[in-house]
């Protein structure tokens, strides 16, 4: 079987790289020229104002990164050593690591096909098994909001609070309200690959003044109001730099433009893949408007060629009319375009393998990969482990907003060629 060949891209097509506009440099220079080169200054104040205004929360505290914001959110939520915390399972590990920083035990809640986010049915199940849990960490993956209303009402019924990880979903709304504004505490990120960036940085979001003040204090080494360095509490060096804040400040006016570009990319893929045995990640949802951060696709089960993934390596067997994420990603890489596997679910990660994992029909006991890869299916005939299934069949496509239409057309042709 001879597959079509293409000219490699001269300039690499990235998954999602920073897109600068010029104003970033102006604010960075301003920090330099006024010598506000530390973790205090006008850019930081402005980032906090802009973020709170955009998200629709009362306070945003500018921090060194989204992970730092999540760490302080977990501290605010009062997680203590030994406490179990329900967490999104198919997410980036920064969503859950902060629980462990505080000595908590993440209990992973399986994913649903509808939004590729936390399954409310599995969450309800988890509360049956662990009624004592008081904190739920929910991520909105790839810019698609999860079913936050349903999750909220389940949490309310069980007296638990939500920590909302909106690192990937800045600007996305659920029933007209911004993601990041739902949880008792929310978090956004300005990491280099996010929808807008400061090169790094993040914010903690809350409506609670006391919480915001605490986080500001913790993030600056918990200094007390004394003439010398006086400390009553454990502190952290988590504050955002005023130079970084200059970049974020310069990016903010372009958030909506970036979202519009990402939306066009998503729609061009969807159009271009018509006729292929694939589906795009869920972005057309009744209750939400995503920010289209990453375009992803999932291959229909019957059109998957054979693919085996170990802990570090992967192999596949090419088959006519079929493909798999490994083949598509390797083919894209061959032509200098960057895709990525779906974020490998936390319950499949060696570090979290023995943590409890709850599926919609599961019994909540820690499961090993061997158990699940047996291909267990639920009463509806669908795979019981949804996260693992999406990981096996799905992939993230090059979603850089500087990619031209011609470049994207070539990416589409390259993906199509994998099915020849
Ligand atoms: C990027 C990301 C984070 C962490 O943000 P940083 O600013 O990189 O620390 C947390 N959660 C998710 C889902 C992310 O994608």
């Amino acid at each position: 079987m001879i597959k079509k060949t293409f000219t490699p891209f001269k300039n690499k097509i990235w998954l999602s790289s920073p897109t600068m506009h010029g104003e970033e440099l102006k604010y960075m220079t301003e920090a330099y020229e006024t010598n506000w080169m530390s973790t205090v200054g006008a850019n930081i104040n402005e980032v906090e104002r802009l973020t709170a205004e955009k998200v629709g929360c009362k306070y945003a505290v500018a921090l060194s990164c989204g992970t730092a914001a999540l760490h302080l959110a977990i501290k605010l939520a009062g997680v203590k050593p030994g406490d179990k915390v329900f967490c999104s399972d198919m997410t980036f590990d920064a969503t859950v690591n902060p629980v462990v920083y505080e000595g908590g035990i993440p209990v992973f809640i399986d994913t649903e096909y509808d939004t590729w986010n936390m399954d409310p049915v599995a969450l309800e199940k988890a509360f049956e098994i662990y009624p004592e849990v008081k904190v739920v960490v929910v991520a909105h993956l790839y810019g698609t909001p999860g079913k936050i209303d349903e999750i909220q009402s389940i949490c309310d019924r069980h007296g638990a609070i939500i920590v909302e990880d909106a690192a990937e979903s800045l600007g996305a709304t659920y029933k007209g309200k911004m993601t990041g504004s739902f949880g008792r505490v929310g978090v956004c990120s300005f990491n280099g690959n996010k929808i807008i960036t400061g090169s790094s940085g993040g914010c903690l979001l809350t409506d609670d003044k006391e919480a915001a003040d605490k986080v500001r204090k913790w993030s600056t080494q918990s200094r007390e109001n004394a003439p010398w360095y006086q400390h009553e509490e454990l502190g952290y060096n988590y504050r955002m730099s005023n130079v970084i804040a200059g970049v974020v400040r310069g990016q903010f006016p372009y958030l909506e433009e970036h979202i519009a570009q990402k939306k066009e990319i998503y729609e061009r893929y969807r159009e271009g893949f018509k006729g292929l045995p694939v589906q795009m990640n869920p972005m057309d949802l009744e209750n939400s408007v995503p920010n289209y951060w990453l375009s992803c696709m999932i291959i229909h089960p019957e059109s998957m060629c054979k693919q085996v993934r170990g802990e570090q390596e992967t192999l596949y067997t090419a088959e006519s009319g079929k493909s798999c994420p490994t083949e598509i990603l390797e083919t894209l890489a061959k032509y200098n375009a960057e895709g990525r596997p779906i974020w490998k679910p936390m319950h499949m990660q060696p570090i979290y393998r023995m943590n409890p994992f709850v599926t919609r029909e599961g019994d909540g006991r820690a499961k090993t990969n061997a158990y699940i890869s047996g291909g267990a299916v639920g009463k509806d005939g669908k795979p019981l482990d949804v996260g693992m299934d999406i990981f096996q069949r799905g992939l993230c496509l090059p979603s850089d907003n500087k990619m031209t239409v011609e470049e994207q057309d070539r990416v589409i042709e390259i993906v199509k060629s994998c099915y020849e």
Side-chain angles (χ1 to χ4, degrees), residues 226-247:
W228 44 81
Y229 288 141
Q230 176 86 2
H231 305 283
E232 293 174 7
E233 293 181 274
L234 194 58
Y236 304 85
N237 183 6
Y238 278 177
R239 194 70 167 136
M240 184 183 280
S241 138
N242 194 47
V243 180
I244 298 287
V247 185

Side-chain angles (χ1 to χ4, degrees), residues 342-355:
I342 295 296
W343 296 184
K344 185 175 179 177
M346 290 302 115
H347 78 277
M348 294 172 70
Q349 301 285 356
I351 180 176
Y352 290 124
R353 184 168 282 150
M354 295 317 289
N355 286 53

Side-chain angles (χ1 to χ4, degrees), residues 110-116 119 147 279 298 300-302 359-362 371-372 374-390 393:
D110 199 13
T111 309
E112 52 157 15
Y113 291 106
D114 287 2
T115 66
W116 287 18
D119 182 354
K147 288 181 184 158
Q279 217 179 321
I298 182 163
H300 294 167
E302 63 282 6
T359 62
R360 66 193 189 283
E361 291 175 25
Y371 168 85
I372 311 162
V377 292
K379 290 195 201 91
D380 53 7
K382 290 185 180 158
L384 199 47
D385 183 341
V386 176
M388 174 182 271
D389 181 46
I390 297 176
R393 298 192 286 122

Side-chain angles (χ1 to χ4, degrees), residues 202-262:
C203 274
L204 181 135
L205 314 160
T206 179
D207 285 332
D208 178 349
K209 178 161 194 311
E210 206 181 315
D213 289 344
K214 256 191 216 164
V215 166
R216 218 169 257 128
K217 180 181 167 192
W218 290 339
S219 71
T220 50
Q221 306 287 19
S222 293
R223 284 146 70 163
E224 297 297 328
N225 193 8
W228 44 81
Y229 288 141
Q230 176 86 2
H231 305 283
E232 293 174 7
E233 293 181 274
L234 194 58
Y236 304 85
N237 183 6
Y238 278 177
R239 194 70 167 136
M240 184 183 280
S241 138
N242 194 47
V243 180
I244 298 287
V247 185
V248 180
R249 185 180 178 184
Q251 287 263 289
F252 245 103
Y254 297 93
L255 173 57
E256 293 305 322
E257 184 181 308
H258 288 190
I259 293 175
Q261 291 164 338
K262 297 271 191 182

Side-chain angles (χ1 to χ4, degrees), residues 267-377:
E267 286 173 348
R268 278 200 293 269
Y269 276 130
R270 196 177 45 191
E271 204 49 42
F273 292 153
K274 275 197 177 139
L276 283 191
V278 305
Q279 217 179 321
M280 296 295 291
N281 52 333
M283 295 277 194
D284 293 318
L285 297 163
E286 205 182 331
N287 290 324
S288 63
V289 183
N291 73 0
Y292 298 90
W293 178 56
L294 285 192
S295 288
C296 306
M297 58 179 245
I298 182 163
I299 299 167
H300 294 167
E302 63 282 6
S303 300
M304 279 280 288
C305 65
K306 207 185 223 172
Q307 168 190 255
V308 183
R309 280 174 168 159
E311 287 304 344
Q312 314 258 341
E313 289 172 314
T314 174
L315 281 172
Y316 71 93
T317 311
E319 221 181 308
S320 163
K322 296 186 176 186
S323 192
C324 61
T326 304
E327 178 177 35
I328 294 171
L329 292 170
E330 285 182 4
T331 309
L332 285 169
K334 188 167 88 183
Y335 296 116
N336 205 20
E338 183 189 32
R340 195 163 291 175
I342 295 296
W343 296 184
K344 185 175 179 177
M346 290 302 115
H347 78 277
M348 294 172 70
Q349 301 285 356
I351 180 176
Y352 290 124
R353 184 168 282 150
M354 295 317 289
N355 286 53
F357 169 56
V358 183
T359 62
R360 66 193 189 283
E361 291 175 25
D363 60 8
R365 275 180 292 138
K367 294 186 173 39
T368 62
N369 285 350
Y371 168 85
I372 311 162
S373 60
V377 292

